[in-house]
Amino acid sequence: MSFAQVLLKRGTITQEQYEEAKAGRKSPGDRIERILIDKGYAAERDVLEIIGEQLSIPVVNLDNVEIDQELLELIPSKLVHRCCLFPIDRANGVIRVATFNPFDLYAFDELRMLTGTKIEPVLATEADIQRLIKQYYGVGGQTIEDMLRAEDLEVITDGGEARDEEIEAAQEATVVKLVNEILIEAIRDRASDVHIEPFESDLRVRYRVDGVLHTANVPPEIRRFQSAIISRIKILSDLNIAEKRLPQDGGFSVKAHHRDIDIRVSIVPTAFGEGVVMRILDKQSILIDLTALGMDGDVLERFNGIISLPHGIILVTGPTGSGKTTTLYSALNTIRSDRIKILTIEDPIEYFLEGINQVQVRPKIGLSFATGLRSFLRHDPDVILVGEIRDLETAEVAVNASLTGHLVFSTLHTNDAPSATTRLLEMGIEPFLVTSSTEGILAQRLVRKICPSCKEAYEPDRSKLPTDLKLEPGQELYRGVGCRECRNTGYKGRLGIFELLSMSDEIRELIIRRTSAKDIRDLACNQGMRLLRNDGLVKVLGGRTTVEEILRVAKTE
């Protein structure tokens, strides 16, 4: 009885699925169980269990296996990539090798001849094996091996013009594949950015995951193909391949894992070549509600009240990368309906929102935030989003829009909510205009969430905790110990911590008198405002993040 027939007998697959897979074989050597796996009719783990039973080969979980790294140096990476197998360890003159295809006897014979050692196969899923190959042999390892063997691929030196061979090198199938592998790995790891950084003797690739940079394991030979890789990215982004002295910005779109993803590209010249940052914008990940962002309790209730007002300015503040745009989009998504018209002017448009008219800033042709905002007022909007208030002109138009019956959302780069009022005054807005137009200011930061797969409670060393974290006797905190799901970081995903300043008559009076941000903050706290750090510590007590994360992003008051 074949393995596929065992699956059929056990009820794992249906007769129809079996017949379809059998008919799908293109050659007698194609295995029916692999076709069933590829079509999604059978789980690979289930198939491996049956093969293991029939052939007396153990099935292992590679997460729980300790890898012998000295052994990896004995096995050629090209064999590992070509046969998709992974050497685990060796003992008593036997090397254990993980494979998902125990029928590839030629691979085991080749290994046996190369090492002069007996080979013992164990079974593991293809995805687990590929993950370990990338982890230990580097992303794109096989592709770089192919590139090194290609005699017609030369290292391109910097020149003033794009030469034919430079363009040819960028379009080589192996270069295309390598850039694709770097992007696919970044998307799989939920990275928000990919950094390609040239140094004197190295080309480093780093992924920003949950706000923290992680160095990707790539073969050192990748440095030889630096120019070809960057030229490929320029071609994709419709940038000038010959210009190597000036910064350039562009972008392109890809489809990965059945999702449409935008890639924004920024290239800057550095001492040892051009550095590239690719921002990954997943259109399907943006429309989340405010609760999923981490906003809850009194802050959520008051913010929902403010964004439901008929007019006024609502500001979201924080440094670059603190999630301001996501919060604004989520707020618009909360209030949008067929009864109101929403217009946005952004630089750039990061995500396209259904039912909302969005405009891209174009400074080269005179379309700035201020000019776009003026035009908006003739389009009869109810709600306006201005990507950022950068100057006095934009601030004045936004204030006037709010005073003429429009609800205006925008962002400012300030460290906390009270500082936003003094920033507007410093721009030149009169105090009475700030007080009459501004309804609420939300400051925020992003912190990493504890990975749910490896979350554990622990008894903290109270002497090392911040003094403003109040623990009950015997109360435990939570942390992630690290697992495959979170890349052994203990964190997976992010959430916001918030500080919401609602305008009161007393706060307006302080602004009229041009009082310092500290005095405004003290009054707001007396009126119930929770500071960023305090909101973060509440989330620590709730088991959603860690003390270390709060200390990383929020200062002591």
Side-chain angles (χ1 to χ4, degrees):
M1 185 180 293
S2 71
F3 302 118
Q5 288 171 330
V6 174
L7 287 170
L8 180 61
K9 183 178 179 181
R10 294 185 179 182
T12 306
I13 60 172
T14 65
Q15 183 69 39
E16 292 76 12
Q17 291 170 339
Y18 173 75
E19 296 296 339
E20 182 183 340
K22 191 175 178 181
R25 288 193 298 180
K26 296 177 181 177
S27 68
D30 290 344
R31 304 199 64 84
I32 299 177
E33 59 269 16
R34 292 307 307 179
I35 299 174
L36 289 166
I37 293 169
D38 293 341
K39 287 182 174 292
Y41 296 155
E44 185 176 10
R45 187 82 186 182
D46 293 339
V47 173
L48 290 178
E49 294 284 357
I50 290 172
I51 294 175
E53 288 175 15
Q54 301 290 316
L55 301 182
S56 298
I57 300 176
V59 180
V60 299
N61 182 351
L62 293 181
D63 290 338
N64 304 326
V65 172
E66 187 172 344
I67 304 300
D68 181 351
Q69 299 204 35
E70 291 184 3
L71 175 61
L72 302 184
E73 298 175 4
L74 301 178
I75 312 298
S77 62
K78 60 183 178 181
L79 176 62
V80 170
H81 284 99
R82 174 163 50 83
C83 301
C84 193
L85 48 79
F86 192 86
I88 299 174
D89 53 30
R90 56 185 166 180
N92 302 320
V94 177
I95 294 177
R96 284 203 307 162
V97 176
T99 179
F100 69 92
N101 181 13
F103 310 103
D104 188 0
L105 302 180
Y106 293 108
F108 302 135
D109 287 342
E110 191 173 348
L111 260 180
R112 190 177 297 110
M113 286 187 291
L114 281 169
T115 61
T117 308
K118 182 180 177 183
I119 304 300
E120 178 184 307
V122 296
L123 298 176
T125 64
E126 183 178 8
D128 282 353
I129 295 171
Q130 290 284 10
R131 175 176 55 82
L132 285 185
I133 290 174
K134 287 186 174 70
Q135 181 179 341
Y136 288 97
Y137 286 93
V139 178
Q142 178 60 46
T143 305
I144 290 176
E145 291 262 1
D146 295 341
M147 293 164 75
L148 289 169
R149 288 199 300 269
E151 296 177 0
D152 59 340
L153 188 63
E154 299 178 0
V155 180
I156 306 299
T157 57
D158 290 344
E161 298 180 357
R163 301 177 300 176
D164 289 341
E165 55 265 41
E166 185 171 11
I167 297 173
E168 258 182 52
Q171 300 287 41
E172 282 280 345
T174 47
V175 178
V176 171
K177 183 180 178 184
L178 178 59
V179 173
N180 288 350
E181 286 183 16
I182 291 172
L183 281 172
I184 289 169
E185 188 71 8
I187 293 167
R188 183 182 293 120
D189 286 348
R190 303 175 294 104
S192 60
D193 303 86
V194 179
H195 295 243
I196 300 177
E197 303 163 312
F199 297 96
E200 185 173 10
S201 58
D202 185 25
L203 183 68
R204 185 163 60 173
V205 178
R206 295 197 287 172
Y207 299 146
R208 188 178 293 279
V209 181
D210 293 334
V212 178
L213 282 169
H214 300 270
T215 301
N217 182 14
V218 294
E221 294 83 4
I222 196 173
R223 179 70 174 85
R224 290 180 54 183
F225 308 101
Q226 172 184 329
S227 293
I229 291 167
I230 293 171
S231 295
R232 170 61 183 166
I233 294 170
K234 284 184 176 181
I235 290 170
L236 286 171
S237 308
D238 197 24
L239 299 177
N240 183 355
I241 195 174
E243 181 55 74
K244 302 176 187 296
R245 301 161 299 172
L246 294 173
Q248 296 189 70
D249 293 310
F252 56 96
S253 297
V254 299
K255 196 175 189 71
H257 306 304
H258 310 292
R259 307 198 307 269
D260 291 325
I261 295 172
D262 283 342
I263 310 291
R264 298 285 161 81
V265 175
S266 177
I267 298 179
V268 295
T270 70
F272 299 105
E274 293 174 288
V276 180
V277 174
M278 293 184 283
R279 169 150 288 188
I280 300 171
L281 303 173
D282 187 347
K283 297 179 181 179
Q284 293 183 353
S285 67
I286 185 66
L287 289 182
I288 53 181
D289 61 36
L290 294 167
T291 304
L293 289 176
M295 195 179 295
D296 47 30
D298 177 60
V299 174
L300 178 62
E301 184 180 339
R302 288 191 292 131
F303 190 69
N304 276 330
I306 292 171
I307 65 177
S308 301
L309 294 173
H311 55 80
I313 293 180
I314 300 163
L315 295 173
V316 180
T317 76
T320 301
S322 60
K324 299 187 297 295
T325 301
T326 302
T327 297
L328 287 174
Y329 281 171
S330 298
L332 292 183
N333 194 48
T334 300
I335 64 173
R336 69 175 176 174
S337 74
D338 293 336
R339 297 188 299 275
I340 63 174
K341 178 165 183 172
I342 302 175
L343 290 172
T344 78
I345 181 161
E346 306 169 58
D347 183 24
I349 299 173
E350 293 194 8
Y351 303 93
F352 296 106
L353 306 177
E354 188 175 348
I356 294 175
N357 298 280
Q358 296 172 267
V359 176
Q360 168 73 53
V361 167
R362 300 186 186 279
K364 291 182 180 178
I365 59 173
L367 179 55
S368 64
F369 282 123
T371 55
L373 193 48
R374 285 196 183 92
S375 300
F376 280 6
L377 300 181
R378 296 190 288 272
H379 262 254
D380 188 31
D382 298 289
V383 178
I384 298 170
L385 184 148
V386 185
E388 183 184 346
I389 295 179
R390 295 177 178 172
D391 50 42
L392 174 60
E393 185 182 12
T394 307
E396 287 178 336
V397 180
V399 167
N400 290 332
S402 71
L403 295 176
T404 53
H406 305 89
L407 186 62
V408 180
F409 291 87
S410 192
T411 69
L412 271 179
H413 286 286
T414 62
N415 288 328
D416 57 16
S419 298
T421 60
T422 56
R423 178 79 181 102
L424 291 174
L425 296 177
E426 289 168 0
M427 282 184 178
I429 302 295
E430 291 297 328
F432 74 91
L433 290 175
V434 174
T435 58
S436 56
S437 61
T438 308
E439 294 294 342
I441 303 168
L442 181 76
Q444 70 175 73
R445 299 288 189 278
L446 290 178
V447 296
R448 292 181 291 174
K449 293 191 292 186
I450 297 172
C451 173
S453 300
C454 59
K455 181 177 178 179
E456 70 168 15
Y458 73 101
E459 181 66 36
D461 182 350
R462 296 182 180 239
S463 65
K464 296 181 179 179
L465 295 178
T467 56
D468 48 348
L469 179 61
K470 307 300 182 184
L471 284 182
E472 299 293 332
Q475 185 175 359
E476 294 181 318
L477 296 181
Y478 294 87
R479 64 188 174 193
V481 294
C483 66
R484 172 184 168 186
E485 291 296 319
C486 62
R487 295 167 53 96
N488 293 312
T489 62
Y491 300 98
K492 186 176 182 182
R494 290 190 287 178
L495 77 157
I497 58 174
F498 302 95
E499 174 180 294
L500 179 59
L501 174 66
S502 302
M503 286 295 173
S504 65
D505 291 340
E506 294 82 2
I507 290 175
R508 287 188 169 95
E509 180 61 32
L510 292 183
I511 296 171
I512 290 287
R513 296 184 350 228
R514 294 180 180 268
T515 307
S516 70
K518 180 182 182 305
D519 291 341
I520 295 173
R521 180 172 61 247
D522 291 343
L523 176 58
C525 289
N526 290 335
Q527 295 180 347
M529 182 181 80
R530 189 160 68 193
L531 297 175
L532 276 169
R533 181 182 173 92
N534 294 339
D535 188 49
L537 294 177
V538 168
K539 291 178 169 66
V540 169
L541 295 174
R544 303 172 73 181
T545 188
T546 64
V547 175
E548 291 77 16
E549 276 297 286
I550 303 305
L551 297 178
R552 181 175 67 87
V553 303
K555 65 179 182 179
T556 304
E557 299 298 335

